[in-house]
Amino acid sequence: MSKRRLKGWKEIPMGGMVTEPGSSVEFDVSAWRTFKPVIDQSKCTKCGLCWIYCPEAAIVIKEDGRYEVDLTFCKGCGICERACAPRAITMVKEESA
Ligand code: SF4
Ligand code: SF4
């Protein structure tokens, strides 16, 4: 769990607006998850749909062409699992894999 000090209500922008684009890379959201995606590389066809649909850009393409999940930015929403036609992605409970 992060020890980062959270801003008080007087310090955050009105309406909680995001005023710095791209600032999400500064936040580790791994503690938010209950489930995490696991990719079965033997079923992956490298279609790229998980990469396109992931709202957090947490799917990364390795130099050898493998698709992997950067769990620092994955919230565990499961959209990638739904997008994967060959069912290469399975959402598993955090503590089980
Ligand atoms: S959607 Fe599934 S098959 Fe396509 S790249 Fe992602 S894991 Fe591989
Ligand atoms: S579970 Fe959601 S946030 Fe995590 S990699 Fe899949 S689509 Fe992205």
Side-chain angles (χ1 to χ4, degrees), residues 34-81:
T34 306
F35 289 85
K36 68 180 176 184
V38 174
I39 300 177
D40 180 342
Q41 298 294 337
S42 69
K43 292 183 182 173
C44 176
T45 60
K46 300 181 173 56
C47 68
L49 286 176
C50 55
W51 182 81
I52 291 169
Y53 279 98
C54 175
E56 306 304 327
I59 304 283
V60 292
I61 306 169
K62 295 296 194 182
E63 281 187 14
D64 61 4
R66 279 180 302 116
Y67 284 72
E68 288 193 352
V69 182
D70 183 341
L71 291 171
T72 305
F73 302 114
C74 171
K75 294 177 186 170
C77 66
I79 290 173
C80 55
E81 182 188 48

Side-chain angles (χ1 to χ4, degrees), residues 2-48:
S2 172
K3 298 280 186 204
R4 191 166 45 86
R5 179 188 159 280
L6 297 176
K7 291 180 180 176
W9 69 271
K10 290 181 180 176
E11 300 168 276
I12 62 174
M14 191 176 291
M17 286 187 299
V18 175
T19 55
E20 296 170 38
S23 60
S24 63
V25 294
E26 297 170 18
F27 298 98
D28 178 345
V29 300
S30 54
W32 298 9
R33 282 190 314 270
T34 306
F35 289 85
K36 68 180 176 184
V38 174
I39 300 177
D40 180 342
Q41 298 294 337
S42 69
K43 292 183 182 173
C44 176
T45 60
K46 300 181 173 56
C47 68

